[in-house]
Amino acid sequence: MIGFWMAALALVALAATALILPLWQGKGESPLTRSELNKRLYHRRLAELAEEREQGVLGDEKEAELELQRSLLDDIPDAEPRASKGRSLLWLPGVAVLVVVSVGLYLQLGAWREVQVWRDASSRLSELSNRILVERDANVTEQDLQSFILALRTRLQSDGDDYRGWLLLGRLLLDGRDPESAAQALDKAYRLAPSPDLVAAPYAEALLATGDEARAKLLLEQALASDPNNLEAHSIYAFMALQQEDYRGALARWQAMLPLLEKGSTRYQMIERSIAFARQRLEQRGEVLHGTGQGEAAAESGFPLTVTLADDIVPPEGAYLFVFAVVPDGPPMPIAVQRIPNPHFPVSLRLSDADAMMEGSRLADHPELQFKARLSASGNVMEKSGAFEGLSQRVRTGEGKPASIDIRIDHAL
């Protein structure tokens, strides 16, 4: 604010200077009074008479001098005006008008009201934060919420290295139907977060609202690959399919959410209604729904795998083996996965639709698959420190299944 007022005063001073200078310089007294000018003319004429006399042109010199003197006396004014010693003060009213007009225009057209609102909001940041985030005050108005967003945005512009502040701002802007600004805030949070998965779901939601569906899908798939129990990512992923009228995909994604919810809860019932809606739309289209067995039939339809370990790799104590199917050159999100604690190599297993990450997903729906095996010292498949991995050849699902698909764990991550 100090900078603004200094700039405003400088502009007014510049305009006042441009107004004063012409008036200050243009009102000075003439260097010669009328009497002085007449005297100069008189002496010049006497010199001319002397030249005429020398040239023999002048006839009666005395008469000419008398006539010249009479002419001088006739031209002398009765009273000589006094010279003003000071400068004109006409500039004072002009400067006063300039200042009044400038202030009036700023009050009428300037953004001083917005500046005042911004300053008030910034001063109330702690109070609003406590009411909105801690107390969950039901009396918080829309104006209070907007003031909090403005104050938070101001604080983050000067001190915004904490991803949680940008994440909060992004969520508030999403709720306020400002997806463009929300995407910018969440992009900042995504780059600052210690783990991108902490921000992936709301960031994908903002990207989806701005039309960047490709990147939103990639973020959601990465988040679900890292944490298959991420309900927020599941929910947005299902909504994306619904928005694209992919009712089969939405159905599968909602079905994958049900085991993660408390049966009978409000959200569980809402997902059940969404599943019923997707089924209804598919039936209206005349599409046949394929059920997915969870028992012996599904196991028999799976892919037989044999996992071996390279000679130079020693499995750590308490290790976990993850075996999963992915689409070659596709998204990193697994289609199906098995988790085996304390494996004893070689390991033989069968990966089937029963191991699908999303209920309703079928391995046979993908023309080509590839199988990975990862040996991890921890139970977290995303932990790469001390982990080893192997990859199978590509397998065409439409052809006859081989007797066994070999995966050799032979390199560290």
Side-chain angles (χ1 to χ4, degrees):
M1 288 299 294
I2 295 177
F4 167 77
W5 287 117
M6 290 181 65
L9 289 174
L11 289 174
V12 172
L14 183 62
T17 301
L19 176 67
I20 292 171
L21 284 179
L23 296 174
W24 184 271
Q25 295 175 349
K27 190 60 182 176
E29 293 292 329
S30 174
L32 295 176
T33 64
R34 183 174 174 181
S35 297
E36 291 173 343
L37 182 59
N38 286 338
K39 287 178 183 179
R40 291 191 180 186
L41 291 174
Y42 171 74
H43 289 295
R44 181 178 299 174
R45 182 58 183 154
L46 285 179
E48 291 175 355
L49 291 176
E51 291 179 2
E52 292 176 359
R53 185 186 64 236
E54 292 175 358
Q55 296 173 2
V57 177
L58 183 64
D60 190 351
E61 180 182 358
K62 292 294 184 180
E63 183 63 25
E65 288 182 3
L66 288 173
E67 183 64 29
L68 183 60
Q69 291 172 358
R70 283 195 295 269
S71 175
L72 175 62
L73 290 173
D74 291 340
D75 201 33
I76 293 176
D78 296 335
E80 192 74 41
R82 282 187 186 177
S84 174
K85 293 183 179 180
R87 295 287 185 179
S88 171
L89 298 179
L90 288 177
W91 58 271
L92 282 176
V95 171
V97 170
L98 174 66
V99 172
V100 171
V101 169
S102 300
V103 172
L105 287 174
Y106 175 70
L107 292 177
Q108 186 67 27
L109 304 175
W112 61 273
R113 295 179 184 87
E114 290 79 0
V115 172
Q116 187 61 43
V117 169
W118 166 66
R119 296 183 68 183
D120 290 344
S122 298
S123 65
R124 297 177 59 203
L125 177 59
S126 297
E127 172 208 339
L128 292 172
S129 177
N130 186 63
R131 289 179 59 195
I132 294 171
L133 303 178
V134 180
E135 298 177 358
R136 307 283 182 175
D137 190 349
N139 296 321
V140 171
T141 64
E142 181 65 25
Q143 182 59 48
D144 290 334
L145 190 59
Q146 292 301 320
S147 296
F148 178 62
I149 292 174
L150 178 60
L152 180 60
R153 192 200 298 264
T154 302
R155 174 67 61 85
L156 290 172
Q157 290 298 331
S158 59
D159 183 18
D161 292 334
D162 186 355
Y163 83 94
R164 286 168 293 192
W166 289 106
L167 176 59
L168 173 61
L169 177 61
R171 289 186 180 276
L172 291 172
L173 290 170
L174 265 180
D175 292 339
R177 302 296 187 270
D178 187 0
E180 295 287 348
S181 300
Q184 294 175 7
L186 290 167
D187 178 70
K188 184 78 171 179
Y190 186 79
R191 288 185 278 112
L192 290 173
S195 172
D197 297 336
L198 297 171
V199 188
Y203 188 22
E205 183 179 1
L207 291 172
L208 186 62
T210 58
D212 193 351
E213 295 180 358
R215 191 177 182 196
K217 182 179 180 183
L218 179 61
L219 287 174
L220 291 171
E221 289 173 344
Q222 290 174 344
L224 290 172
S226 174
D227 181 11
N229 297 331
N230 189 331
L231 275 172
E232 186 178 13
H234 274 296
S235 180
I236 299 170
Y237 202 34
F239 176 76
M240 177 187 293
L242 181 66
Q243 193 176 46
Q244 297 169 346
E245 297 187 357
D246 176 14
Y247 298 111
R248 187 177 294 276
L251 175 63
R253 294 167 190 178
W254 279 322
Q255 287 175 331
M257 292 178 65
L258 285 179
L260 306 177
L261 297 170
E262 181 183 353
K263 193 169 184 178
S265 65
T266 302
R267 191 169 185 182
Y268 189 95
Q269 295 173 358
M270 182 184 70
I271 297 301
E272 284 185 321
R273 289 194 295 270
S274 298
I275 290 173
F277 170 77
R279 288 184 179 277
Q280 180 184 10
R281 297 308 298 264
L282 287 171
E283 290 172 0
Q284 290 174 354
R285 289 180 173 182
E287 298 186 25
V288 180
L289 294 175
H290 297 282
T292 56
Q294 299 293 326
E296 191 173 331
E300 287 299 322
S301 64
F303 291 85
L305 305 172
T306 301
V307 183
T308 58
L309 202 62
D311 295 336
D312 59 339
I313 294 178
V314 178
E317 186 177 352
Y320 287 83
L321 176 65
F322 296 90
V323 182
F324 45 94
V326 296
V327 176
D329 304 322
M333 180 180 177
I335 302 167
V337 63
Q338 281 192 27
R339 178 174 178 266
I340 303 170
N342 297 315
H344 298 283
F345 294 94
V347 176
S348 297
L349 69 148
R350 189 177 288 270
L351 200 64
S352 69
D353 295 344
D355 304 305
M357 291 285 291
M358 295 186 178
E359 189 173 348
S361 178
R362 300 171 65 238
L363 295 175
D365 289 339
H366 304 277
E368 197 174 42
L369 292 174
Q370 203 165 17
F371 299 89
K372 290 184 179 181
R374 181 175 297 177
L375 188 64
S376 175
S378 68
N380 184 1
V381 68
M382 299 306 297
E383 179 60 52
K384 295 185 178 181
S385 177
F388 303 91
E389 191 175 83
L391 185 65
S392 75
Q393 298 294 323
R394 297 188 179 199
V395 177
R396 292 190 175 276
T397 58
E399 300 175 356
K401 296 184 180 67
S404 180
I405 301 169
D406 295 326
I407 309 175
R408 185 173 179 80
I409 300 177
D410 56 6
H411 65 275
L413 292 178

